[in-house]
Amino acid sequence: MNPSQHDSREPPARPWGRLGQLLRWALIVGLLVWLGHGALIDLLAGHSQRRSLTGEALSPAASALLEQCLEDLPAGPLIDLHAHLAGRGPESGCWVNPRLLSPLHLVDWARMRSYLSAAGLDQDSPDTAWIENLAGLARARPRPALHYLLAFDYRYTPQGERDLAHSEFHVPNAYAFAAAQAHGDVFRCAISVHPYRPDALQELDRWAARGVRLVKWLPAAQGMDPASPRCDDFYRALVARDMVLLVHCGQELALGTREDQELGNPLRLRRPLEAGVQILVAHCASSGTALDLDVAGQNPPRVDCFELFLRLMGEEAFEGQLWGEISTVTQVNRYSTALATLLERQDLHSRLVNGSDWPLPALNVLYQTRALEGAGFIGADERRLLNEIYHHNPLSFDLALKRLVRSPGTGKRFAPEIFTRLGPLSQR
């Protein structure tokens, strides 16, 4: 059964016999000992001293490289349209599915620990520490920057009921807005509103009235189908309020979503595009495959999501509406699919914007500079200095890496304008 058809009740617990319970606990205890109380997770997450926050300076060579990455950028702040918040509440209103906090669910628990570590936190840190750490890193960058903090709505059923059992986490719109207000020099707010909510249009009205224009969706995790007619009123409301939709397309890997991946099919965006919605495609749909819905018949082939994204970008009707957002395209699990093509397709660069997908730039295991060097995207000296910048400030590393990567075939790089561009958010 499709998870979006479930009700909001917790699923029944899996029956374990006495022997099964003992074996499970033995495995968990053994792994916890082996993990060294989170030391290995901190290593994989790249948990560092964040030397920029302690005042420790980069080496002259690394400083010069970072300055080189900044010198030809247009005037204005650096723009990051994709920075996540998270928290456990209850005071903040944030919520995390209990399985992500329990060693009984080892994979989910380790995943949550790695995200906390990447954000510079531990399991006892208050929710506000995520905001303060990110604000500190943003202010320590060598040039002013604006990061859009993403709220994240619950999953809802098609009947409009909140589905806690299959929700991963929740960040209230009010929480993201308050964080942006408190740190207005480095943050802006992006809300998240599920279109199946009974009060979806009222929630859009509430935040549009306060000047918020960016709305975040992650269909595979939140359970909304962008191609569903039940979203039509929502799309009309977005257009009327001049709001922009940031949609994750392609396979979802950061959350524990195992089903509903097809909801991230870029071709499912035709419906909101035809309704006139301005859309940012997160990650340029650079992972996974999806059904080619443009092929008639009952058994359409599966195609790389990135290829489907490029198809939409190539349609003249969507030139003024559809944009690509390049967060994570330099990750080890994505660069072989999309990075060289995006670097070479300079005809698309005027429609690309930047995002970090924080805290993923601080997950050491995802950013393998050795692999990028081996594939010809960066040089050996650049790799060494990028690694130093990573330990100094992962946000600066994310920018520097994207500025330095070049197509192994043509030597082309990302256009400087991408990194200071607001895209459809600047169009009024």
Side-chain angles (χ1 to χ4, degrees), residues 32-308:
L32 287 173
V33 172
W34 177 67
L35 286 171
H37 304 291
L40 179 62
I41 289 176
D42 285 348
L43 176 64
L44 294 176
H47 194 184
S48 66
Q49 296 177 351
R50 304 288 161 76
R51 296 166 190 161
S52 60
L53 299 184
T54 64
E56 185 175 339
L58 286 167
S59 69
S63 294
L65 183 70
L66 191 53
E67 283 299 317
Q68 173 190 327
C69 293
L70 295 170
E71 62 186 8
D72 63 339
L73 293 180
L78 303 172
I79 299 297
D80 171 9
L81 291 168
H82 194 146
H84 284 284
L85 289 178
R88 288 159 293 186
E91 293 84 2
S92 66
C94 295
W95 174 86
V96 173
N97 192 304
R99 74 174 184 278
L100 273 71
L101 304 176
S102 171
L104 295 176
H105 302 272
L106 255 176
V107 173
D108 292 328
W109 173 81
R111 183 161 47 87
M112 185 64 183
R113 282 289 304 271
S114 69
Y115 296 152
L116 289 172
S117 182
L121 312 179
D122 58 38
Q123 291 206 104
D124 299 321
S125 299
D127 289 356
T128 53
W130 183 297
I131 297 169
E132 298 301 328
N133 283 2
L134 179 54
L137 287 171
R139 293 185 180 114
R141 300 182 71 176
R143 178 166 167 173
L146 290 177
H147 301 265
Y148 279 70
L149 302 180
L150 306 184
F152 199 78
D153 210 349
Y154 293 102
R155 187 184 180 103
Y156 281 78
T157 70
Q159 294 74 37
E161 298 176 358
R162 186 180 293 174
D163 185 357
L164 288 179
H166 300 99
S167 296
E168 288 275 304
F169 68 100
H170 172 62
V171 177
N173 294 326
Y175 184 70
F177 185 81
Q181 291 288 99
H183 302 275
D185 58 322
V186 289
F187 292 154
R188 296 292 183 268
C189 169
I191 60 170
S192 182
V193 181
H194 200 297
Y196 301 171
R197 286 173 52 164
D199 65 341
L201 302 187
Q202 292 90 329
E203 188 71 0
L204 282 183
D205 276 339
R206 177 187 179 193
W207 297 107
R210 300 187 182 191
V212 178
R213 296 186 58 220
L214 188 60
V215 182
K216 164 68 173 176
W217 278 8
L218 205 167
Q222 293 176 302
M224 72 274 289
D225 179 2
S228 171
R230 65 168 51 90
C231 298
D232 287 348
D233 287 344
F234 193 88
Y235 296 149
R236 283 189 285 268
L238 288 175
V239 174
R241 293 156 182 76
D242 194 25
M243 301 180 90
V244 178
L245 199 57
L246 171 63
V247 186
H248 177 108
C249 287
Q251 186 179 10
E252 167 51 39
L253 299 171
L255 300 181
T257 304
R258 297 176 181 86
E259 302 179 39
D260 281 355
Q261 291 287 356
E262 187 61 26
L263 297 180
N265 186 333
L267 297 184
R268 305 192 81 80
L269 298 179
R270 286 193 186 280
R271 192 175 194 96
L273 287 167
E274 290 170 354
V277 179
Q278 294 272 348
I279 295 178
L280 298 172
V281 176
H283 323 302
C284 293
S286 53
S287 67
T289 63
L291 297 175
D292 189 343
L293 302 177
D294 291 340
V295 175
Q298 295 184 344
N299 298 300
R302 298 196 70 83
V303 178
D304 283 343
C305 290
F306 180 62
E307 180 180 328
L308 300 178

Side-chain angles (χ1 to χ4, degrees), residues 309-310 313-314 342 345-352 421:
F309 163 74
L310 291 179
M313 290 285 280
L342 288 171
R345 289 287 307 272
Q346 297 197 343
D347 59 308
L348 298 179
H349 286 192
S350 63
R351 296 167 62 192
L352 297 181
R421 176 181 291 142

Side-chain angles (χ1 to χ4, degrees), residues 367-385:
Y367 287 86
Q368 299 296 311
T369 53
R370 186 181 300 277
L372 289 168
E373 179 195 347
F377 286 100
I378 57 174
D381 289 341
E382 290 171 332
R383 172 179 173 262
R384 176 178 57 83
L385 297 174

